[in-house]
Structure formats: C-alpha cells, structure tokens
Amino acid sequence: MRHHPSGKRRLMVTQLAGSHERGHYDATVYFVRVSVTNGENGGLESVVAAHIDEQMTSAKREISFENSYDPVPTAPETEATTETTAEEVVSTEEEESTAATTEAKSKTAAKKKEVKSETKKLVMIRTPVFGSPCLP
C-alpha cells in the first residue's frame, strides 16, 4: 500500500467472485481503517485495522478470503472389480490341487474295488476246464 500524507482512511475490502462453475467464493466484507502517522525517524508509518462490521467495533481481524471448489464428478463404475493377491492365488491353486488329488484318489480306490469285484466275479463264474470242478 502506498502511503499518503498522515491521516486516517476508511476502506471497504471485498473479493470479486470467480466464475468457476464448481467454485464457492467467500463473500466476506472487511471494513478497514488505515491510520498514517509520522514516524520517529521522519518517515511515514501505517497501522491497519480490519473489522467485519461497518461500525468497526468487532474484533480486529486479518484479511483473508476462503474459497472452495466442489470435486470433479467421477463416472459411475459399470462393473465391480476385485483385487486378488498372490497369496490368494496360491491358496486357491493349492485347494484346487488338493481337491483334484482327493478326487483322483477316490476314483482310484473305486476303480480298485471295481476291479476286485470283477475279479471275484470272474473267479466265481469260471467254468471247469478239462473236467475239473470250479473252485472259489
């Protein structure tokens, strides 16, 4: 601020609002008294007092404008996404491997029973060879 000859000045300070569509601009009005006096060393000194009431009886304040902006809208997600960790993949592969091994063992055991059963049947249905009787 440029100093004028000594004396008191009254000012009204506002912010010109911006034009951003998502912007919210501080509309605070400050009433400022600037007192210019002769300094001890022959120069001019100023004292600034800002208030938010025209009578300037409220507490002194710093002049500050706080603006805010709404966030940029995001596009809605069309598909839910999930993340899979390496541990989950290994765990899933182990479970699948264990299930496949268990299934293979079950099939093998069933096949063995089936073969035993067929073997017994074959033995039991064997016909005598060269006139010998059938033995169980």
Side-chain angles (χ1 to χ4, degrees):
M1 174 179 275
R2 189 168 173 220
H3 292 287
H4 295 282
S6 61
K8 293 183 180 182
R9 306 284 187 271
R10 289 174 54 115
L11 306 167
M12 183 172 73
V13 178
T14 61
Q15 171 183 228
L16 291 176
S19 60
H20 196 282
E21 64 184 22
R22 290 187 318 273
H24 302 280
Y25 300 95
D26 191 337
T28 304
V29 176
Y30 292 96
F31 298 92
V32 181
R33 179 178 26 241
V34 180
S35 300
V36 179
T37 59
N38 291 320
E40 292 180 14
N41 296 332
L44 298 174
E45 294 179 355
S46 63
V47 176
V48 178
H51 304 269
I52 58 170
D53 65 321
E54 194 170 356
Q55 295 75 28
M56 297 188 199
T57 57
S58 64
K60 293 179 185 177
R61 298 176 173 238
E62 292 290 322
I63 297 173
S64 174
F65 297 99
E66 294 184 28
N67 302 317
S68 64
Y69 299 90
D70 294 333
V72 176
T74 58
E77 290 187 27
T78 56
E79 185 178 305
T81 58
T82 57
E83 291 185 23
T84 305
T85 64
E87 291 146 356
E88 291 173 327
V89 170
V90 169
S91 175
T92 302
E93 288 174 353
E94 287 174 353
E95 290 172 7
E96 289 172 355
S97 176
T98 302
T101 303
T102 304
E103 185 179 346
K105 285 180 181 177
S106 296
K107 284 182 179 179
T108 303
K111 196 130 194 144
K112 283 181 181 177
K113 283 183 182 178
E114 193 177 302
V115 168
K116 282 183 180 179
S117 176
E118 287 178 12
T119 304
K120 285 183 181 177
K121 287 179 187 173
L122 288 175
V123 170
M124 292 176 77
I125 59 168
R126 191 169 39 168
T127 56
V129 179
F130 304 110
S132 62
C134 180
L135 298 173

